[in-house]
Amino acid sequence: MADKPYISVLVPVLNEQESLPELQKRLYDTLEAIGKPYEIIYINDGSTDRTGEMLEDFHARDGSVKVIEFNRNYGQHMALFAGFEYAKGDMVITIDADLQNPPEEIPKLVQKIAEGYEVVGTYRKDRKDSVFRRLPSFIVNKITSKLVGVKLRDYGCMLRAYSRNIVDYMNMCPESSSFIPALANTFAKRIVEIEVAHEERKKGTSKYSPFRLLRLNFDLMTNFSLLPIQFIGVLGVVIAVLGFLFAILLFVRRLVIGPEVEGTFTLFAILFFFIGIQIFALGIIGEYIGRIYQEVRRRPRFIVKRELM
Ligand code: UDP
Ligand code: MG
């Protein structure tokens, strides 16, 4: 125990009382088998079920279990940021608490980091989630690969490993919303993606509603590029030019054929089109301004109510 950990495992937890006992047992067995010093850090992200007591109990029984407790729910990525600040290992592994990613895959990731990779991603072999969960992921993968410039098959799979230097770099990023797999890849040179098994969520329910996924997507886009706002700018110019050409066309038509009388509804269509674009553009600008506001307020990103170290 006194040894400095070689492996830090981070587990963000939100109301996972049904999965925790099995998870802890399987993590313990897997990590003991590796035979290197390790620590398991659970981040209790504002759970309202028995999760808190269970984690306390794990900590009391096993010195390598540490617990960080937030005062409320801040989201999976903030939980991981907190974990990164506390982790002491030469490598850090993140894993979901719901047992969808089998802990038995961890040695494969450890092996890759030991080989010198800085980020080890994983992709889920025949992913066992509903189409409503998979479709947003598909879009995220495409967008992230483009924005970050590193093509990965599965940015969403949170069973991942990071080398010490990458964790240190991420600790230097005090942003209040972020998407960790993308952030890590902006720092890393040696990245590898390996295949892991994926299981159905047997206990508890997914903590991501479609609305939360949408928010995560906005985090991703606005955090990693100015692309959306630039795209809107270009679109605005194109539409203005088209509008101008259309006005000329109508003017010429009036001279040749005479005034248009029954075009009222065309006008409505055009109007709605423009109003739509404007609102969309305002929304995008709002996204950025909202984020700037969050950053300049400099509120703490999360508040740790209690730590069991
Ligand atoms: N989680 C969390 N805070 C949240 C949402 C989720 O700590 O606000 C944890 C959750 O307990 C689980 C992991 O993040 O350990 C992944 O969540 P989930 O399995 O619900 O996501 P999905 O598998 O649907 O992507
Ligand atoms: Mg899950």
Side-chain angles (χ1 to χ4, degrees):
M1 226 328 269
D3 296 348
K4 184 181 157 317
Y6 175 64
I7 305 168
S8 299
V9 178
L10 305 183
V11 193
V13 207
L14 172 63
N15 297 336
E16 303 281 5
Q17 61 181 13
E18 292 91 353
S19 311
L20 281 177
E22 185 183 339
L23 174 76
Q24 171 59 20
K25 167 143 205 330
R26 286 167 65 181
L27 276 177
Y28 176 84
D29 290 345
T30 308
L31 291 165
E32 284 293 323
I34 295 176
K36 292 262 169 76
Y38 65 88
E39 60 181 357
I40 305 173
I41 305 180
Y42 289 98
I43 305 99
N44 183 356
D45 187 13
S47 300
T48 50
D49 64 356
R50 289 196 52 248
T51 293
E53 296 153 45
M54 295 174 100
L55 294 180
E56 220 171 289
D57 180 49
F58 293 166
H59 171 74
R61 279 191 290 165
D62 183 343
S64 48
V65 173
K66 295 163 188 178
V67 182
I68 303 170
E69 192 181 328
F70 283 171
N71 63 329
R72 64 163 170 88
N73 177 258
Y74 289 90
Q76 184 183 7
H77 290 260
M78 268 317 120
L80 290 176
F81 269 118
F84 286 139
E85 286 183 11
Y86 284 83
K88 297 199 179 63
D90 291 340
M91 65 178 77
V92 175
I93 292 177
T94 62
I95 187 168
D96 286 353
D98 58 1
L99 293 167
Q100 286 194 277
N101 305 122
E104 290 72 27
E105 302 279 7
I106 289 177
K108 281 196 214 164
L109 283 87
V110 173
Q111 175 61 34
K112 285 287 170 200
I113 295 279
E115 279 171 28
Y117 288 99
E118 297 176 292
V119 172
V120 185
T122 55
Y123 58 90
R124 296 166 269 200
K125 193 177 159 204
D126 27 85
R127 184 169 172 188
K128 307 273 196 326
D129 277 320
S130 73
V131 64
F132 297 105
R133 190 65 193 73
R134 289 205 314 267
L135 183 69
S137 293
F138 175 79
I139 300 169
V140 167
N141 286 333
K142 288 284 172 238
I143 296 178
T144 316
S145 294
K146 265 270 164 321
L147 293 187
V148 181
V150 181
K151 200 167 175 308
L152 290 189
R153 292 171 57 161
D154 194 350
Y155 265 98
C157 188
M158 294 304 283
L159 174 59
R160 312 176 77 85
Y162 308 95
S163 62
R164 182 77 248 169
N165 60 327
I166 298 296
V167 173
D168 290 340
Y169 299 147
M170 287 199 281
N171 281 338
M172 288 190 246
C173 300
E175 48 217 57
S176 50
S177 60
S178 199
F179 187 73
I180 288 170
L183 184 65
N185 281 4
T186 61
F187 294 125
K189 213 152 76 190
R190 297 195 63 195
I191 301 167
V192 67
E193 202 176 27
I194 61 175
E195 185 181 273
V196 292
H198 192 239
E199 280 159 32
E200 244 166 271
R201 204 186 223 282
K202 295 198 191 74
K203 294 162 187 154
T205 51
S206 172
K207 306 297 181 289
Y208 282 104
S209 64
F211 179 65
R212 273 196 99 163
L213 284 175
L214 190 73
R215 260 183 30 202
L216 198 65
N217 256 310
F218 270 118
D219 278 352
L220 184 62
M221 283 206 299
T222 54
N223 262 302
F224 290 95
S225 79
L226 291 174
L227 211 71
I229 212 158
Q230 288 158 348
F231 176 72
I232 293 291
V234 173
L235 195 69
V237 173
V238 171
I239 290 172
V241 169
L242 286 180
F244 185 67
L245 292 179
F246 190 51
I248 293 180
L249 186 80
L250 285 181
F251 182 67
V252 173
R253 186 185 181 278
R254 191 189 165 107
L255 290 184
V256 179
I257 310 177
E260 175 201 43
V261 187
E262 296 184 42
T264 331
F265 287 101
T266 324
L267 224 115
F268 267 106
I270 294 167
L271 193 69
F272 281 135
F273 177 68
F274 282 110
I275 290 177
I277 299 271
Q278 277 184 351
I279 293 174
F280 181 53
L282 273 179
I284 298 260
I285 294 171
E287 277 295 326
Y288 281 101
I289 294 181
R291 269 144 230 278
I292 294 171
Y293 176 59
Q294 273 179 354
E295 298 297 337
V296 298
R297 266 193 318 196
R298 297 205 164 270
R299 291 228 181 119
R301 297 190 288 174
F302 45 76
I303 291 171
V304 175
K305 191 168 85 181
R306 198 156 70 118
E307 39 184 90
L308 306 172
M309 290 289 144

